Amino acid sequence: MADDWYPAKKDAGDLNMPARRGVSQAAKWLLRAKPGNHAQECVRARAIMTEARGLVKGIHESVANGERIDPRTLDPVVEAIAASIQRDPTAIPSVTRLKLRHEYTFYHSVAVCGLMVGLARALRLDEAEMHQIGLAGLLHDIGKARIPNALLNKPGPLDDKEFALVREHTVRGHEILCDAGGVSDLVLDVVLNHHERIDGRGYPARKAGPAISVHARMGAVCDVYDAVTSARSYKPAWSPGEALEWMRGTEGHFDRAVMNAFAKTVGAFPYGSLVRLAGERLGVVLDPGQGDPLDPPVMIFMDAASKRPLPPLRIDRAGKSIVAVEYAERLGIPDWADVRREIIRHSTLGSSQDTHGK
């Protein structure tokens, strides 16, 4: 990464890890939990998500009612999320992908927190900085508490006036947290600047390049990724594979180094990815469910060399057979979005299976 904006670790010393306040019994158990398999950690992740969602919802309701908030009440769940990410980096993202549409804002905040912590680990930020980046994830959309829900959940596109009002959530969130007090500059920065773009076409201040901190760049990546992989009232969800392909191919929006680090944190083989398997076969990664995300099911559909369609074959544990993640444009596969949707749809209808991955 460029040295002109990446924060040296010696400059992060003022981000002191806060003591736990009012940690619930669930949070204490989740902090003490020992590493287990992916299914076990998903159970813990759901418990963390439920508790975090409740706390975030409570803070949003307090803001909407004109009450002053104490963001430090979120410290325990940030620590619980960080502990889960350390045990299994894929559990929190897997669980938070299944959101209730009418409570999207709250679940989205929890998901972004988990993604931010995972990305902070990938970028080797220190523990105190990691905690603050997680807190920033939980609070990044706090300004939406002052935006009408009817506007946030509008099923159709926003007009210019409505869009301008929604964009105010960054400035409003910054004001709310400044009024609350006790919030680090890092958190304030992410809340205010997570919609800025590298090319200067973001908001609220149209910052560009080095003017955008690494933390705000992280926020931009995590916020957009979770948004496009979530079903909303006005759009269906993209698969993680679709989201990563689009984000990596978008010019000027995201920092390349941060984007590359992020791609490694969401799993080696995200759901929906196009992969090449041994024997020059192409396949689509299916949702592993409670299985091991590093050994996911794959639906084979094409010979890589000839581009000849193959009879659909589902391999339930394909991790050891996967040679590389591929890109449809590079391989010249036309209408890839439609092809991928049909393959995933076919996978739910049943097909031939190879449960051994050979």
Side-chain angles (χ1 to χ4, degrees), residues 283-306:
V284 174
V285 176
L286 306 177
D287 193 334
Q290 298 300 309
D292 184 350
L294 298 180
D295 197 11
V298 168
M299 180 71 81
I300 292 172
F301 71 98
M302 180 178 286
D303 178 80
S306 66

Side-chain angles (χ1 to χ4, degrees), residues 16-335:
N16 295 319
M17 180 71 78
R20 300 186 188 96
R21 298 173 178 84
V23 185
S24 70
Q25 290 301 313
K28 288 180 180 178
W29 169 69
L30 292 165
L31 285 166
R32 293 197 306 263
K34 296 180 180 179
N37 60 36
H38 181 66
Q40 290 172 324
E41 192 56 43
C42 281
V43 172
R44 298 165 181 166
R46 278 191 290 273
I48 293 169
M49 182 175 72
T50 298
E51 183 158 343
R53 193 263 327 158
L55 287 173
V56 172
K57 183 177 181 179
I59 280 187
H60 276 249
E61 289 175 346
S62 294
V63 170
N65 292 331
E67 301 168 3
R68 190 170 181 176
I69 61 172
D70 181 3
R72 295 171 297 179
T73 60
L74 296 174
D75 288 337
V77 292
V78 174
E79 293 184 52
I81 288 170
S84 176
I85 294 292
Q86 185 170 10
R87 291 189 296 264
D88 181 345
T90 64
I92 289 283
S94 295
V95 168
T96 53
R97 192 157 50 84
L98 305 174
K99 301 178 179 68
L100 298 175
R101 293 189 185 190
H102 67 285
E103 292 197 323
Y104 166 80
T105 297
F106 314 128
Y107 285 110
H108 172 65
S109 296
V110 179
V112 171
C113 173
L115 294 170
M116 293 278 271
V117 170
L119 181 53
R121 288 177 60 83
L123 294 174
R124 299 185 179 182
L125 304 188
D126 65 34
E127 187 176 353
E129 204 170 355
M130 195 181 307
H131 181 92
Q132 292 300 317
I133 207 72
L135 184 59
L138 283 181
L139 292 168
H140 78 286
D141 273 346
I142 188 64
K144 287 185 177 179
R146 291 184 177 167
I147 306 295
N149 283 330
L151 196 56
L152 295 176
N153 298 319
K154 183 178 177 180
L158 302 177
D159 61 32
D160 290 346
K161 184 177 180 180
E162 291 170 331
F163 186 56
L165 182 58
V166 170
R167 294 204 310 179
E168 290 181 8
H169 79 274
T170 57
V171 174
R172 293 190 183 196
H174 187 266
E175 293 171 348
I176 290 165
L177 295 182
C178 285
D179 181 62
V183 180
S184 71
D185 289 343
L186 186 159
V187 173
L188 292 173
D189 173 38
V190 173
V191 170
L192 182 63
N193 296 310
H194 65 277
H195 282 289
E196 297 289 2
R197 293 172 48 129
I198 297 300
D199 60 10
R201 296 170 58 194
Y203 65 88
R206 299 181 70 86
K207 294 181 179 180
I212 307 171
S213 72
V214 64
H215 307 111
R217 296 176 188 221
M218 293 167 67
V221 169
C222 296
D223 176 53
V224 170
Y225 174 83
D226 186 69
V228 299
T229 55
S230 301
R232 304 296 304 279
S233 57
Y234 51 84
K235 74 165 188 66
W238 290 2
S239 73
E242 289 175 299
L244 288 177
E245 284 182 22
W246 173 74
M247 292 174 73
R248 293 176 108 170
T250 300
E251 294 293 334
H253 195 147
F254 309 106
D255 177 84
R256 289 293 182 189
V258 172
M259 187 69 239
N260 289 338
F262 176 78
K264 296 176 182 178
T265 71
V266 293
F269 313 115
Y271 165 59
S273 295
L274 174 64
V275 292
R276 183 187 298 262
L277 291 88
E280 291 299 294
R281 299 170 297 172
L282 295 177
V284 174
V285 176
L286 306 177
D287 193 334
Q290 298 300 309
D292 184 350
L294 298 180
D295 197 11
V298 168
M299 180 71 81
I300 292 172
F301 71 98
M302 180 178 286
D303 178 80
S306 66
K307 305 298 188 295
R308 176 174 55 85
L310 297 174
L313 174 66
R314 177 184 172 116
I315 301 177
D316 276 338
R317 298 177 61 186
K320 293 181 180 179
S321 299
I322 296 175
V323 175
V325 175
E326 290 285 2
Y327 298 93
E329 289 184 4
R330 188 181 74 81
L331 294 174
I333 301 176
D335 303 318

